[in-house]
Amino acid sequence: MKKIEFFKHNIGKKEIESVTQVLNSLFITNANVTKELEQKICQYLNVQHCIGLTSCTAALHLSLIALNIGPGDEVITTPLTFAASANTILHAGAKPVFIDVEKKTGNMDVNLIEAAITEKTRAILPVHLYGNMCDMIKMKKLADQYQLKIIEDAAHCIEGERDGIKVGQLGDTACFSFYATKNISCGEGGALACHDDAMAELLYKLRLHGINKDAASRYTDKFRQYEIDVIGWKYNISDIQSALLINQLDLIDQRLDLREKLAQNYEQELSKLDINFIKVPANSKSARHLFVMLVENRDSVLQELQNRGIGVSITFKPVHLFKYYRETFAYQEGDFPIAEEIGAKCIALPIYPKLEKQEQEYVIDTVKDIVT
Ligand SMILES: *Cc1c(COP(=O)(O)O)cnc(C)c1O
């Protein structure tokens, strides 16, 4: 039987050689290679600062801390996402307030933000779901009007653009993931982008226990006692992880082109079959992280695709329906009907540069056979 993986990473000879170089050098935690990665990300996104971290979860958590959001505060976000987006709001001691999503894209419905704002609202935490950017221009107008911060969860969307705006351009911070199945990956890793100098300085400290100098700058000279004036976490990325990412960053747009072709092929073929799927918003460059189709009888279709050797995923069960959220915040089914509908119908299909043409044809033929 054919076996088509849900995802295959892009780590090859060059990445492995870069890691070997780091392992043969003096510093194996964050030093010069991490600095190089951070500078490359700044250039790619055209942002002022980038801070390399252990995960996107860490980036979201530190964003909230650096923006001074905590107990008593509310943050507006989407229920249709991976749990990290909402969990980190709880890590910071604040309360996630969900709003429903758009039917076509699954992204937070920006038109619902205003009604969710209370005296306690401090920030909006949009997720650029599946690689498609939210309407940042509209969101930024509202944020300015109500003096709210914006923290972009861009775990799916390092490459995205909409209305000429890039990820990280209008948000106070943007958070990226280099987890195993993300567009660029080092197994586990993340980064945070921001524009403000003082905030970046604080974030460099917060990622390492509040210490004011990283390992390399502490030890290349003679030992000097460091200072701690704020309590931080242990969230710094290492040079081993950074070495895996630098070459992938050089090839990021080339690989996006390959995913774009696969996505367009899915769109064309599923349209012929009258099967519904998540759409890319107008005036957008999608990062094409996930290709999500929407079907009735999702669970049996999901099972049958797997029986026929196709790797698939549910992206996502809405966060408010998980037991902890139901019990803690009294959320229930029916609270966010569109997010719940997408959550009940979604199946993410294989889409990655190594997916071969015949493999995609097999996926499409199998979907046709099962669904229609
Ligand atoms: C993967 C993911 C995260 C978390 O990323 P980590 O690097 O694993 O912490 C956050 N938000 C979304 C939408 C994700 O898909």
Side-chain angles (χ1 to χ4, degrees):
M1 190 186 67
K2 267 200 195 335
K3 174 79 180 121
I4 295 170
E5 300 295 345
F6 177 64
F7 183 76
K8 283 183 183 168
H9 66 68
N10 295 300
I11 290 167
K13 210 170 153 219
K14 209 160 175 180
E15 286 75 15
I16 294 167
E17 275 169 10
S18 310
V19 171
T20 308
Q21 252 180 33
V22 170
L23 294 176
N24 285 322
S25 76
L26 184 60
F27 289 103
I28 56 174
T29 184
N30 68 322
N32 292 339
V33 184
T34 295
K35 280 205 188 79
E36 189 187 338
L37 173 73
E38 290 168 341
Q39 278 162 8
K40 272 197 170 200
I41 294 175
C42 283
Q43 272 170 12
Y44 182 74
L45 297 171
N46 196 19
V47 294
Q48 220 55 37
H49 302 284
C50 171
I51 294 103
L53 300 168
T54 46
S55 66
C56 182
T57 301
L60 292 164
H61 184 203
L62 288 193
S63 297
L64 292 153
I65 301 295
L67 291 167
N68 208 15
I69 293 166
D73 297 334
E74 291 178 357
V75 179
I76 296 171
T77 191
T78 169
L80 190 64
T81 180
F82 178 62
S85 322
N87 282 357
T88 48
I89 298 171
L90 294 171
H91 295 165
K95 183 185 171 192
V97 173
F98 296 117
I99 57 173
D100 211 349
V101 302
E102 302 169 343
K103 210 177 174 108
K104 273 173 76 172
T105 64
N107 271 338
M108 164 190 277
D109 187 343
V110 176
N111 295 317
L112 301 177
I113 292 174
E114 202 160 12
I117 296 172
T118 72
E119 279 162 21
K120 295 177 177 173
T121 309
R122 295 284 318 282
I124 308 167
L125 196 156
V127 179
H128 304 307
L129 196 69
Y130 310 137
N132 299 323
M133 268 179 80
C134 299
D135 186 342
M136 291 307 294
I137 293 178
K138 224 183 214 174
M139 193 185 305
K140 178 69 173 151
K141 269 201 194 122
L142 271 173
D144 286 345
Q145 192 184 334
Y146 289 92
Q147 294 188 308
L148 305 176
K149 304 294 183 186
I150 297 177
I151 298 163
E152 297 177 61
D153 180 338
H156 296 183
C157 197
I158 190 163
E159 306 94 330
E161 252 180 76
R162 178 170 177 172
D163 304 317
I165 304 292
K166 282 190 180 192
V167 167
Q169 202 172 327
L170 298 185
D172 291 273
T173 70
C175 303
F176 304 96
S177 175
F178 310 130
Y179 171 70
T181 57
K182 298 289 166 35
N183 289 358
I184 66 173
S185 171
C186 60
E188 299 284 355
L192 186 160
C194 69
H195 300 281
D196 187 76
D197 296 346
M199 189 178 178
E201 202 175 313
L202 174 62
L203 285 162
Y204 282 120
K205 289 199 277 183
L206 289 177
R207 78 171 168 184
L208 187 59
H209 287 294
I211 292 171
N212 59 1
K213 284 187 167 61
D214 62 28
S217 46
R218 272 189 280 138
Y219 294 118
T220 42
D221 205 354
K222 292 198 178 77
F223 185 88
R224 288 211 313 264
Q225 183 59 52
Y226 51 78
E227 191 54 273
I228 293 178
D229 58 3
V230 58
I231 289 299
W233 281 260
K234 184 67 169 88
Y235 278 167
N236 60 283
I237 200 169
S238 78
D239 273 22
I240 301 172
Q241 293 161 300
S242 299
L244 284 169
L245 293 164
I246 286 175
N247 187 48
Q248 294 182 66
L249 201 56
D250 288 338
L251 298 177
I252 195 166
D253 284 326
Q254 201 175 314
R255 286 182 175 148
L256 173 58
D257 287 346
L258 296 173
R259 291 199 308 280
E260 178 62 38
K261 285 203 183 80
L262 291 165
Q264 286 186 13
N265 199 31
Y266 273 135
E267 288 179 347
Q268 210 173 356
E269 296 302 316
L270 294 187
S271 297
K272 282 186 211 158
L273 300 173
D274 224 9
I275 293 171
N276 198 6
F277 53 86
I278 293 290
K279 308 290 192 306
V280 175
N283 300 319
S284 291
K285 172 181 153 194
S286 173
R288 295 295 195 180
H289 174 53
L290 293 171
F291 190 89
V292 175
M293 69 169 181
L294 303 167
V295 295
E296 308 292 331
N297 309 321
R298 191 270 316 277
D299 290 341
S300 61
V301 174
L302 189 88
Q303 200 53 53
E304 193 50 31
L305 284 167
Q306 292 178 103
N307 290 344
R308 300 204 201 175
I310 297 172
V312 285
S313 176
I314 293 177
T315 52
F316 296 92
K317 171 173 167 168
V319 178
H320 70 284
L321 296 181
F322 283 105
K323 193 167 171 224
Y324 180 87
Y325 282 86
R326 285 179 192 252
E327 288 181 355
T328 312
F329 299 104
Y331 281 125
Q332 53 188 348
E333 234 157 278
D335 283 346
F336 307 105
I338 302 174
E340 287 167 28
E341 189 186 336
I342 295 174
K345 292 184 177 174
C346 63
I347 297 181
L349 298 172
I351 181 167
Y352 46 88
K354 283 187 176 158
L355 185 72
E356 286 166 21
K357 202 163 183 292
Q358 312 90 279
E359 292 181 316
Q360 189 184 29
E361 276 165 17
Y362 175 73
V363 175
I364 291 164
D365 289 345
T366 310
V367 166
K368 180 179 180 181
D369 197 39
I370 296 170
V371 179
T372 59

